[in-house]
Amino acid sequence: GWLSEGFAEYAAARHSEQRTGTRDHIRRNHWSFLLAVDPADGAPLVGQHHPERRFAHIYMRGSAVLEQLRARIGPDFDALLSTWISDFAGQIATTPEFEAHLAASAPVAAYFRRWIYNGGYPVYEVAATPARTDNARASVEFRQIGGPRAPIELAVETFLPEGGLAHGQVEVSDGAELAFAPGVRDVVIDPELRTFHRAFPALPGDTNLDGLVDGLDLLEISAHQGEQAPGPRWRDARDPNRDLRVDQA
């Protein structure tokens, strides 16, 4: 099950991170799962899986789940994994036991309920409304086009007009709208891949979600020309024709 194979794949990804200084391995696993499994596939991570999708669920999803838990728990995560391994060495462990082990140090019940005991993931089109004046607020609206209709938490990163980045965590569901401070133009949804989902601009080519397709978007696409999913730096926003390749088609 995922507590063995998923952990083994996660260990390989963390070794790659130490060796290369990047999270490319685990980011590729994240996208490999999303592209291999239908958004409406409600299979939980625990239990049996269709043979054709078992690898994607157990190895790719399992390792990505551990990385998402690492992001939520923070620096204590590695120590918790270490004590988990020592406490259960030579035993048959269960997912509820793993949840209880983490829950002693961090609130993980909601995450386990949504992403481990249940399956599927949402797909959104994100419609951006540009700010018409310098003092106006730009906004984006999430329109769900696939997957289970349940709210999820998403990280949002914005580039501030005076320089620097702003980070936030928001709850998103079908029809949710986010408004940003005046002057904010570039919006990146879940840059660290902390949640399973896919998000496409409602306006194809609007890579920075400012409600316009302009030179900034062309520069973004040109900078990533030739990238293919499931590459580690993949973003659906850079793929206007949704052919899993960044190009100018």
Side-chain angles (χ1 to χ4, degrees), residues 129 137-141 158 170 176-182 184:
T129 301
R137 296 161 65 93
S139 65
V140 296
E141 179 187 359
T158 56
V170 297
E177 187 171 339
L178 306 178
F180 304 104
V184 167

Side-chain angles (χ1 to χ4, degrees), residues 5 10-11 26 33 42-43 52 68 91 107 140 143 148 151 160 167 173 203 206 208 217 226 231 249:
E5 285 90 343
Y10 185 63
I26 197 66
F33 162 65
E52 293 181 359
Q68 290 177 10
Q91 304 178 50
V140 296
R143 302 169 182 169
L160 302 175
H167 304 274
S173 58
L203 178 62
D206 181 18
N208 59 358
D217 301 299

Side-chain angles (χ1 to χ4, degrees), residues 201-224:
L203 178 62
D206 181 18
T207 63
N208 59 358
L209 294 177
D210 66 354
L212 305 169
V213 177
D214 54 21
L216 294 175
D217 301 299
L218 293 178
L219 287 173
E220 174 82 2
I221 290 174
S222 296
H224 295 271

